[in-house]
Amino acid sequence: MTSRAAGDTAWVLEPVLEVPHVVAAVLLTRDGLVTGYTDALSQPSAERVAAITSTVQGACRTAAAAFADTDQAEIRQVVIESDHGYVLIVPTDHGTCVAAYGDPEVRLDLLAHRVHSQVARLGEKAMAAGPRGADGGTPA
């Protein structure tokens, strides 16, 4: 069970899959583009999950802002419980997101802990990335 994508994202998603009863996970940008996904999903399925996840996040930010009577709100996580299991969506501070799906037997606390840990590691790696060149690319 590894992630499939143009870049190497397996280090983010593989630990999530180690949680018992986790079926699949996707790494995506805030605007819904897939940057990695697990073998349980086909590319079209991963793209569909990413697009829906992006929409759900937007709706949740809007709902949180409306309840708080403010113009904007950031979310820390979204949990969707269904008769088929749980979806956990956790955005990062730098514009990406991890979405994971576990069957009804998954321990949601373990899943949340693992996803949040991976999101934190992803943020640390993004902050540790070298400076970009003036043209937006990596320095020569």
Side-chain angles (χ1 to χ4, degrees):
M1 289 193 246
T2 59
S3 66
R4 301 182 286 180
D8 179 21
T9 58
W11 71 270
V12 176
L13 299 179
E14 284 179 357
V16 174
L17 291 176
E18 293 171 0
V19 175
H21 301 285
V22 171
V23 177
V26 176
L27 180 64
L28 61 134
T29 62
R30 187 172 185 162
D31 57 352
L33 300 176
V34 175
T35 58
Y37 57 100
T38 57
D39 287 340
L41 297 170
S42 65
Q43 183 172 352
S45 293
E47 290 172 353
R48 182 173 175 224
V49 166
I52 292 167
T53 298
S54 178
T55 302
V56 167
Q57 285 186 92
C60 289
R61 282 191 302 273
T62 302
F67 275 108
D69 197 23
T70 185
D71 291 335
Q72 61 183 3
E74 289 301 318
I75 56 171
R76 293 187 184 97
Q77 72 178 15
V78 176
V79 178
I80 301 169
E81 181 180 0
S82 77
D83 55 341
H84 297 285
Y86 296 90
V87 176
L88 179 68
I89 303 167
V90 180
T92 69
D93 291 337
H94 60 279
T96 60
C97 173
V98 175
Y101 168 70
D103 70 24
E105 299 300 314
V106 73
R107 283 200 40 203
L108 191 55
D109 60 334
L110 294 178
L111 176 58
H113 176 71
R114 184 65 54 89
V115 172
H116 280 277
S117 294
Q118 290 306 104
V119 164
R121 289 185 63 210
L122 189 60
E124 290 169 5
K125 186 169 181 171
M127 296 302 286
R132 300 258 179 205
D135 64 354
T138 55

